[in-house]
Amino acid sequence: MATDIKLAEAPASYDGPGFSATSFDKIIGLARANSLWPLPFATSCCGIEFMSTMASTFDLARFGSERPSFSPRQADMLLVAGTIAKKMGPVVKQVYLQMAEPRWVIAIGACASSGGIFDTYSVLQGIDRIIPVDVYVPGCPPRPEQILDGVMQVQELAKNESLRRRNTEEYQKLLNSYSIQ
């Protein structure tokens, strides 16, 4: 039985005898994409699904995210899973602000994406009201395969992002729209 093994593609480069030359954007993007450190912010049933994503059956470590960080200063991918009450909103924003750039956010499940079935005064109707979100993972709760797909989408964002994108006027306007300096 032959299995298909997908290797990370080497960036386009100029190769010669004993050397290879490419751009910093490509090399740093490849390194970032394959060494994302997730910070799980899990509150409900989506948190249980994230736990199974980290377990041996689905094994998030295959994607370079084997080290979950429970310190925002050492994480670069925030995984918000589950229902976020409005009182928790400032805490989620504070965690986001403590993360170093570059940072990416995944909203896992219907509650983190849109408030889910909880259309009440106390539930935040999507974390994109307080912090920018890069990838939405649908479902109630989403399957571990969906969470893995969301992580792979963040990998693509990390791999293809310019080193200077976060210094652009467009990115600063996005942060200002969330009252983030």
PDB file of all heavy atoms in Angstrom, residues 57-82:
ATOM      1  N   THR A  57      -5.167  10.623  17.936  1.00  0.00           N
ATOM      2  CA  THR A  57      -5.923  10.242  16.743  1.00  0.00           C
ATOM      3  C   THR A  57      -5.795  11.286  15.639  1.00  0.00           C
ATOM      4  O   THR A  57      -5.615  10.952  14.474  1.00  0.00           O
ATOM      5  CB  THR A  57      -7.410  10.043  17.086  1.00  0.00           C
ATOM      6  OG1 THR A  57      -7.504   9.059  18.114  1.00  0.00           O
ATOM      7  CG2 THR A  57      -8.196   9.588  15.881  1.00  0.00           C
ATOM      8  N   PHE A  58      -5.875  12.557  16.004  1.00  0.00           N
ATOM      9  CA  PHE A  58      -5.809  13.615  14.992  1.00  0.00           C
ATOM     10  C   PHE A  58      -4.454  14.314  14.985  1.00  0.00           C
ATOM     11  O   PHE A  58      -4.017  14.770  13.963  1.00  0.00           O
ATOM     12  CB  PHE A  58      -6.946  14.617  15.210  1.00  0.00           C
ATOM     13  CG  PHE A  58      -8.281  13.967  15.045  1.00  0.00           C
ATOM     14  CD1 PHE A  58      -9.021  13.576  16.150  1.00  0.00           C
ATOM     15  CD2 PHE A  58      -8.779  13.700  13.788  1.00  0.00           C
ATOM     16  CE1 PHE A  58     -10.238  12.947  15.995  1.00  0.00           C
ATOM     17  CE2 PHE A  58      -9.996  13.076  13.623  1.00  0.00           C
ATOM     18  CZ  PHE A  58     -10.728  12.692  14.738  1.00  0.00           C
ATOM     19  N   ASP A  59      -3.810  14.458  16.126  1.00  0.00           N
ATOM     20  CA  ASP A  59      -2.409  14.850  16.258  1.00  0.00           C
ATOM     21  C   ASP A  59      -2.051  16.159  15.562  1.00  0.00           C
ATOM     22  O   ASP A  59      -1.463  16.175  14.485  1.00  0.00           O
ATOM     23  CB  ASP A  59      -1.522  13.715  15.750  1.00  0.00           C
ATOM     24  CG  ASP A  59      -0.071  13.908  16.153  1.00  0.00           C
ATOM     25  OD1 ASP A  59       0.187  14.683  17.085  1.00  0.00           O
ATOM     26  OD2 ASP A  59       0.792  13.269  15.537  1.00  0.00           O
ATOM     27  N   LEU A  60      -2.390  17.256  16.210  1.00  0.00           N
ATOM     28  CA  LEU A  60      -2.058  18.571  15.688  1.00  0.00           C
ATOM     29  C   LEU A  60      -0.555  18.781  15.573  1.00  0.00           C
ATOM     30  O   LEU A  60      -0.092  19.633  14.807  1.00  0.00           O
ATOM     31  CB  LEU A  60      -2.672  19.653  16.596  1.00  0.00           C
ATOM     32  CG  LEU A  60      -2.620  21.093  16.138  1.00  0.00           C
ATOM     33  CD1 LEU A  60      -3.337  21.265  14.807  1.00  0.00           C
ATOM     34  CD2 LEU A  60      -3.225  22.002  17.177  1.00  0.00           C
ATOM     35  N   ALA A  61       0.225  17.972  16.272  1.00  0.00           N
ATOM     36  CA  ALA A  61       1.689  18.088  16.221  1.00  0.00           C
ATOM     37  C   ALA A  61       2.230  17.840  14.820  1.00  0.00           C
ATOM     38  O   ALA A  61       3.304  18.334  14.475  1.00  0.00           O
ATOM     39  CB  ALA A  61       2.322  17.113  17.195  1.00  0.00           C
ATOM     40  N   ARG A  62       1.504  17.123  13.993  1.00  0.00           N
ATOM     41  CA  ARG A  62       1.960  16.880  12.615  1.00  0.00           C
ATOM     42  C   ARG A  62       2.091  18.162  11.819  1.00  0.00           C
ATOM     43  O   ARG A  62       2.771  18.215  10.813  1.00  0.00           O
ATOM     44  CB  ARG A  62       0.973  15.961  11.874  1.00  0.00           C
ATOM     45  CG  ARG A  62       0.914  14.563  12.397  1.00  0.00           C
ATOM     46  CD  ARG A  62      -0.102  13.756  11.644  1.00  0.00           C
ATOM     47  NE  ARG A  62      -1.434  14.290  11.902  1.00  0.00           N
ATOM     48  CZ  ARG A  62      -2.461  14.185  11.078  1.00  0.00           C
ATOM     49  NH1 ARG A  62      -2.313  13.586   9.927  1.00  0.00           N
ATOM     50  NH2 ARG A  62      -3.641  14.664  11.393  1.00  0.00           N
ATOM     51  N   PHE A  63       1.428  19.208  12.294  1.00  0.00           N
ATOM     52  CA  PHE A  63       1.411  20.470  11.565  1.00  0.00           C
ATOM     53  C   PHE A  63       2.315  21.512  12.214  1.00  0.00           C
ATOM     54  O   PHE A  63       2.199  22.697  11.937  1.00  0.00           O
ATOM     55  CB  PHE A  63      -0.023  20.987  11.474  1.00  0.00           C
ATOM     56  CG  PHE A  63      -0.934  20.019  10.788  1.00  0.00           C
ATOM     57  CD1 PHE A  63      -1.691  19.116  11.516  1.00  0.00           C
ATOM     58  CD2 PHE A  63      -1.004  19.981   9.410  1.00  0.00           C
ATOM     59  CE1 PHE A  63      -2.514  18.205  10.880  1.00  0.00           C
ATOM     60  CE2 PHE A  63      -1.822  19.074   8.767  1.00  0.00           C
ATOM     61  CZ  PHE A  63      -2.575  18.181   9.508  1.00  0.00           C
ATOM     62  N   GLY A  64       3.194  21.080  13.093  1.00  0.00           N
ATOM     63  CA  GLY A  64       4.126  22.003  13.726  1.00  0.00           C
ATOM     64  C   GLY A  64       3.544  22.766  14.899  1.00  0.00           C
ATOM     65  O   GLY A  64       4.109  23.745  15.338  1.00  0.00           O
ATOM     66  N   SER A  65       2.402  22.327  15.414  1.00  0.00           N
ATOM     67  CA  SER A  65       1.744  23.017  16.526  1.00  0.00           C
ATOM     68  C   SER A  65       1.674  22.121  17.752  1.00  0.00           C
ATOM     69  O   SER A  65       0.669  22.074  18.447  1.00  0.00           O
ATOM     70  CB  SER A  65       0.336  23.440  16.120  1.00  0.00           C
ATOM     71  OG  SER A  65       0.374  24.343  15.059  1.00  0.00           O
ATOM     72  N   GLU A  66       2.753  21.383  17.997  1.00  0.00           N
ATOM     73  CA  GLU A  66       2.715  20.427  19.104  1.00  0.00           C
ATOM     74  C   GLU A  66       2.878  21.065  20.465  1.00  0.00           C
ATOM     75  O   GLU A  66       2.698  20.433  21.472  1.00  0.00           O
ATOM     76  CB  GLU A  66       3.770  19.334  18.931  1.00  0.00           C
ATOM     77  CG  GLU A  66       5.195  19.827  19.000  1.00  0.00           C
ATOM     78  CD  GLU A  66       5.739  20.207  17.642  1.00  0.00           C
ATOM     79  OE1 GLU A  66       5.057  20.064  16.633  1.00  0.00           O
ATOM     80  OE2 GLU A  66       6.877  20.679  17.622  1.00  0.00           O
ATOM     81  N   ARG A  67       3.219  22.338  20.510  1.00  0.00           N
ATOM     82  CA  ARG A  67       3.435  22.994  21.789  1.00  0.00           C
ATOM     83  C   ARG A  67       2.329  23.996  22.052  1.00  0.00           C
ATOM     84  O   ARG A  67       2.429  25.152  21.679  1.00  0.00           O
ATOM     85  CB  ARG A  67       4.779  23.708  21.784  1.00  0.00           C
ATOM     86  CG  ARG A  67       5.105  24.333  23.101  1.00  0.00           C
ATOM     87  CD  ARG A  67       6.218  25.352  22.942  1.00  0.00           C
ATOM     88  NE  ARG A  67       6.452  26.073  24.166  1.00  0.00           N
ATOM     89  CZ  ARG A  67       5.764  27.131  24.546  1.00  0.00           C
ATOM     90  NH1 ARG A  67       4.773  27.584  23.819  1.00  0.00           N
ATOM     91  NH2 ARG A  67       6.056  27.761  25.666  1.00  0.00           N
ATOM     92  N   PRO A  68       1.252  23.575  22.725  1.00  0.00           N
ATOM     93  CA  PRO A  68       0.253  24.580  23.089  1.00  0.00           C
ATOM     94  C   PRO A  68       0.844  25.508  24.144  1.00  0.00           C
ATOM     95  O   PRO A  68       1.471  25.065  25.099  1.00  0.00           O
ATOM     96  CB  PRO A  68      -0.913  23.766  23.638  1.00  0.00           C
ATOM     97  CG  PRO A  68      -0.338  22.472  24.043  1.00  0.00           C
ATOM     98  CD  PRO A  68       0.870  22.247  23.178  1.00  0.00           C
ATOM     99  N   SER A  69       0.677  26.777  23.937  1.00  0.00           N
ATOM    100  CA  SER A  69       1.223  27.770  24.856  1.00  0.00           C
ATOM    101  C   SER A  69       0.087  28.323  25.690  1.00  0.00           C
ATOM    102  O   SER A  69      -0.943  28.715  25.161  1.00  0.00           O
ATOM    103  CB  SER A  69       1.887  28.888  24.065  1.00  0.00           C
ATOM    104  OG  SER A  69       2.386  29.855  24.932  1.00  0.00           O
ATOM    105  N   PHE A  70       0.277  28.358  26.980  1.00  0.00           N
ATOM    106  CA  PHE A  70      -0.742  28.934  27.850  1.00  0.00           C
ATOM    107  C   PHE A  70      -0.278  30.292  28.367  1.00  0.00           C
ATOM    108  O   PHE A  70      -0.787  30.798  29.348  1.00  0.00           O
ATOM    109  CB  PHE A  70      -1.083  27.962  28.978  1.00  0.00           C
ATOM    110  CG  PHE A  70      -1.699  26.710  28.430  1.00  0.00           C
ATOM    111  CD1 PHE A  70      -0.946  25.565  28.261  1.00  0.00           C
ATOM    112  CD2 PHE A  70      -3.007  26.702  28.010  1.00  0.00           C
ATOM    113  CE1 PHE A  70      -1.507  24.425  27.719  1.00  0.00           C
ATOM    114  CE2 PHE A  70      -3.575  25.560  27.455  1.00  0.00           C
ATOM    115  CZ  PHE A  70      -2.824  24.419  27.315  1.00  0.00           C
ATOM    116  N   SER A  71       0.685  30.864  27.668  1.00  0.00           N
ATOM    117  CA  SER A  71       1.156  32.215  27.928  1.00  0.00           C
ATOM    118  C   SER A  71       1.027  32.995  26.620  1.00  0.00           C
ATOM    119  O   SER A  71       1.601  32.593  25.607  1.00  0.00           O
ATOM    120  CB  SER A  71       2.623  32.189  28.371  1.00  0.00           C
ATOM    121  OG  SER A  71       3.156  33.485  28.336  1.00  0.00           O
ATOM    122  N   PRO A  72       0.265  34.090  26.618  1.00  0.00           N
ATOM    123  CA  PRO A  72       0.087  34.835  25.364  1.00  0.00           C
ATOM    124  C   PRO A  72       1.390  35.355  24.777  1.00  0.00           C
ATOM    125  O   PRO A  72       1.508  35.503  23.570  1.00  0.00           O
ATOM    126  CB  PRO A  72      -0.819  35.992  25.758  1.00  0.00           C
ATOM    127  CG  PRO A  72      -1.263  35.760  27.132  1.00  0.00           C
ATOM    128  CD  PRO A  72      -0.474  34.662  27.725  1.00  0.00           C
ATOM    129  N   ARG A  73       2.362  35.615  25.605  1.00  0.00           N
ATOM    130  CA  ARG A  73       3.613  36.183  25.115  1.00  0.00           C
ATOM    131  C   ARG A  73       4.459  35.172  24.342  1.00  0.00           C
ATOM    132  O   ARG A  73       5.433  35.533  23.707  1.00  0.00           O
ATOM    133  CB  ARG A  73       4.404  36.773  26.274  1.00  0.00           C
ATOM    134  CG  ARG A  73       3.779  38.046  26.796  1.00  0.00           C
ATOM    135  CD  ARG A  73       4.518  38.587  27.995  1.00  0.00           C
ATOM    136  NE  ARG A  73       4.044  39.898  28.382  1.00  0.00           N
ATOM    137  CZ  ARG A  73       2.955  40.137  29.080  1.00  0.00           C
ATOM    138  NH1 ARG A  73       2.183  39.134  29.452  1.00  0.00           N
ATOM    139  NH2 ARG A  73       2.607  41.359  29.411  1.00  0.00           N
ATOM    140  N   GLN A  74       4.099  33.907  24.440  1.00  0.00           N
ATOM    141  CA  GLN A  74       4.855  32.873  23.745  1.00  0.00           C
ATOM    142  C   GLN A  74       4.010  32.148  22.705  1.00  0.00           C
ATOM    143  O   GLN A  74       4.369  31.066  22.267  1.00  0.00           O
ATOM    144  CB  GLN A  74       5.407  31.878  24.766  1.00  0.00           C
ATOM    145  CG  GLN A  74       6.372  32.533  25.715  1.00  0.00           C
ATOM    146  CD  GLN A  74       6.652  31.692  26.931  1.00  0.00           C
ATOM    147  OE1 GLN A  74       5.988  30.704  27.190  1.00  0.00           O
ATOM    148  NE2 GLN A  74       7.650  32.089  27.683  1.00  0.00           N
ATOM    149  N   ALA A  75       2.899  32.742  22.329  1.00  0.00           N
ATOM    150  CA  ALA A  75       2.010  32.130  21.343  1.00  0.00           C
ATOM    151  C   ALA A  75       1.868  33.063  20.154  1.00  0.00           C
ATOM    152  O   ALA A  75       2.032  34.274  20.269  1.00  0.00           O
ATOM    153  CB  ALA A  75       0.646  31.860  21.967  1.00  0.00           C
ATOM    154  N   ASP A  76       1.557  32.477  19.007  1.00  0.00           N
ATOM    155  CA  ASP A  76       1.309  33.306  17.833  1.00  0.00           C
ATOM    156  C   ASP A  76       0.003  32.955  17.126  1.00  0.00           C
ATOM    157  O   ASP A  76      -0.323  33.543  16.114  1.00  0.00           O
ATOM    158  CB  ASP A  76       2.479  33.258  16.854  1.00  0.00           C
ATOM    159  CG  ASP A  76       2.938  31.863  16.519  1.00  0.00           C
ATOM    160  OD1 ASP A  76       2.224  30.899  16.837  1.00  0.00           O
ATOM    161  OD2 ASP A  76       4.018  31.740  15.942  1.00  0.00           O
ATOM    162  N   MET A  77      -0.757  31.998  17.672  1.00  0.00           N
ATOM    163  CA  MET A  77      -2.043  31.629  17.079  1.00  0.00           C
ATOM    164  C   MET A  77      -3.053  31.455  18.215  1.00  0.00           C
ATOM    165  O   MET A  77      -2.919  30.563  19.041  1.00  0.00           O
ATOM    166  CB  MET A  77      -1.895  30.330  16.277  1.00  0.00           C
ATOM    167  CG  MET A  77      -3.174  29.871  15.637  1.00  0.00           C
ATOM    168  SD  MET A  77      -2.959  28.460  14.519  1.00  0.00           S
ATOM    169  CE  MET A  77      -2.299  27.205  15.586  1.00  0.00           C
ATOM    170  N   LEU A  78      -4.044  32.346  18.273  1.00  0.00           N
ATOM    171  CA  LEU A  78      -5.074  32.296  19.307  1.00  0.00           C
ATOM    172  C   LEU A  78      -6.251  31.487  18.784  1.00  0.00           C
ATOM    173  O   LEU A  78      -6.811  31.807  17.736  1.00  0.00           O
ATOM    174  CB  LEU A  78      -5.514  33.709  19.684  1.00  0.00           C
ATOM    175  CG  LEU A  78      -6.624  33.847  20.719  1.00  0.00           C
ATOM    176  CD1 LEU A  78      -6.203  33.236  22.052  1.00  0.00           C
ATOM    177  CD2 LEU A  78      -6.999  35.306  20.895  1.00  0.00           C
ATOM    178  N   LEU A  79      -6.606  30.431  19.507  1.00  0.00           N
ATOM    179  CA  LEU A  79      -7.733  29.583  19.140  1.00  0.00           C
ATOM    180  C   LEU A  79      -8.854  29.831  20.138  1.00  0.00           C
ATOM    181  O   LEU A  79      -8.807  29.347  21.270  1.00  0.00           O
ATOM    182  CB  LEU A  79      -7.329  28.106  19.178  1.00  0.00           C
ATOM    183  CG  LEU A  79      -6.188  27.718  18.251  1.00  0.00           C
ATOM    184  CD1 LEU A  79      -5.554  26.431  18.691  1.00  0.00           C
ATOM    185  CD2 LEU A  79      -6.698  27.601  16.850  1.00  0.00           C
ATOM    186  N   VAL A  80      -9.862  30.603  19.736  1.00  0.00           N
ATOM    187  CA  VAL A  80     -10.993  30.892  20.616  1.00  0.00           C
ATOM    188  C   VAL A  80     -12.082  29.888  20.290  1.00  0.00           C
ATOM    189  O   VAL A  80     -12.620  29.874  19.186  1.00  0.00           O
ATOM    190  CB  VAL A  80     -11.496  32.336  20.441  1.00  0.00           C
ATOM    191  CG1 VAL A  80     -12.648  32.617  21.388  1.00  0.00           C
ATOM    192  CG2 VAL A  80     -10.360  33.315  20.679  1.00  0.00           C
ATOM    193  N   ALA A  81     -12.366  29.016  21.256  1.00  0.00           N
ATOM    194  CA  ALA A  81     -13.323  27.924  21.040  1.00  0.00           C
ATOM    195  C   ALA A  81     -14.423  28.007  22.075  1.00  0.00           C
ATOM    196  O   ALA A  81     -14.163  27.936  23.275  1.00  0.00           O
ATOM    197  CB  ALA A  81     -12.606  26.583  21.142  1.00  0.00           C
ATOM    198  N   GLY A  82     -15.636  28.165  21.624  1.00  0.00           N
ATOM    199  CA  GLY A  82     -16.771  28.118  22.541  1.00  0.00           C
ATOM    200  C   GLY A  82     -17.429  29.462  22.764  1.00  0.00           C
ATOM    201  O   GLY A  82     -17.096  30.475  22.156  1.00  0.00           O
TER     202      GLY A  82
END
